[in-house]
Amino acid sequence: MLVLGIESSCDETGVALFDQAENRLLAHTLHTQMAMHADYGGVVPELASRDHIRRLVPLTEECLQAAGKSYDAIDAIGYTQGPGLGGALLAGAAFANALGFALDKPVIAVHHLEGHLLSPFLSESAIRFPFVALLVSGGHTQLMAVRAVGEYELLGESVDDAAGEAFDKTAKLLGLPYPGGAKLSQLAEQGEAGRFDLPRPMLHSGDLNMSFSGLKTAVLTEVNRLRATHGDTLPESLRNDLCRAFQDAVVDVLFTKARAALHSTGLKQLVVAGGVGANRALRARLKTLPAEVYFPTAEWCTDNGAMIAYAAAQRLAQAQPAGGFTVKPRWAL
């Protein structure tokens, strides 16, 4: 059974074709709107929606051509139902349901976060249920106990900014161009550890929740203090050291909470998913945990159609009902 996956929750349009019988990805295509939104310093929802509409048909045809398949070969279609930007989700939902109607094929509504949670299976066959998942993306930072497809227990989450959101907002405070999170991480690798003492919010809260808003505010306080001495443009060395201090603080919190989650559940596997999962400092630190730690390859860390196709295929394997033409911009997993 061939499952077409469509992702359009924010600023990436992703399409992929997954072979359920052979358990392998046949092809995938992806377009990022990063350059389009750069001039505005963030994602503009209306522009994102319009761009998804322009891209979906060409990307689908490119994906099918790369797989050597035609529309008639598609057996089912999965699409991101939520959470995400309402208009962007509607673009993908409309296309998926129209295609399903035209082909007389089932359409599977997929939770975006479930796609991320299952994405490491695309590149790592050794993962087995149950495991602890650390989901770290631009919109979500959560620890989950994943016992099977569809069986997820929320252990803890950020009570304010997600880790990826904090990276991007902090980068903006430092004058880095959008999207700045990845650039901040690069500069952090050139910084010296220990030059700035930043807080680790909720590190000893006694639960598995996290907070990154206060850390962002602490960086702003340091930036204002430094600018009073050095002017609006910070010396590169100080900027890099501040990037390093911020990244070290985030990594400390994520590491400590992940370790506590493994201890409290008694599980021995940690699976990391989401865009921040590509951060090299975080990966290096998590690898020191007394557990089997798995990461998706870099191409599956950001939003993509492959994770939606895979999640939809797993839902079909369990004979779970198909979805309808609805979107859920806010949707708890």
Side-chain angles (χ1 to χ4, degrees), residues 83-259:
L85 301 176
L89 292 168
L90 278 170
F95 178 69
N97 281 274
L99 187 58
F101 181 80
L103 298 176
D104 193 24
K105 301 297 182 182
V107 178
I108 314 300
V110 176
H111 196 295
H112 180 77
L113 300 187
E114 180 174 54
H116 274 302
L117 287 179
L118 299 179
S119 64
F121 284 97
L122 289 165
S123 53
E124 182 52 72
S125 60
I127 303 172
R128 296 290 182 271
F129 296 111
F131 55 82
V132 171
L134 173 61
L135 175 61
V136 276
S137 68
H140 300 85
T141 298
Q142 298 178 325
L143 281 160
M144 295 266 189
V146 180
R147 307 195 185 281
V149 174
E151 294 184 24
Y152 314 117
E153 177 190 357
L154 179 64
L155 303 174
E157 62 184 336
S158 175
V159 299
D160 41 55
D161 288 354
E165 182 182 9
F167 264 91
D168 284 337
K169 288 182 176 179
T170 300
K172 191 171 184 178
L173 292 176
L174 293 168
L176 302 178
Y178 173 86
K183 181 64 175 177
L184 187 153
S185 298
Q186 294 171 7
L187 296 179
E189 294 180 357
Q190 303 171 34
E192 180 180 339
R195 290 288 301 275
F196 295 94
D197 185 18
L198 297 181
R200 271 68 170 160
M202 298 186 71
L203 191 67
H204 305 294
S205 62
D207 57 27
L208 296 176
N209 289 330
M210 294 157 273
S211 170
F212 298 106
S213 181
L215 174 58
K216 177 189 64 185
T217 302
V219 173
L220 176 60
T221 300
E222 288 291 347
V223 168
N224 289 337
R225 182 181 65 83
L226 292 170
R227 283 177 176 163
T229 303
H230 300 280
D232 289 342
T233 303
L234 301 181
E236 284 189 12
S237 60
L238 288 176
R239 181 197 61 188
N240 295 349
D241 293 343
L242 194 50
C243 289
R244 173 67 181 271
F246 170 81
Q247 179 172 272
D248 286 349
V250 173
V251 169
D252 278 352
V253 172
L254 294 175
F255 172 84
T256 301
K257 297 295 183 173
R259 181 176 60 188

Side-chain angles (χ1 to χ4, degrees), residues 9 79-84 89 110-113 327-331:
S9 63
Y79 74 97
T80 302
Q81 188 178 40
L89 292 168
V110 176
H111 196 295
H112 180 77
L113 300 187
V327 297
K328 299 179 180 180
R330 295 181 179 273
W331 186 13

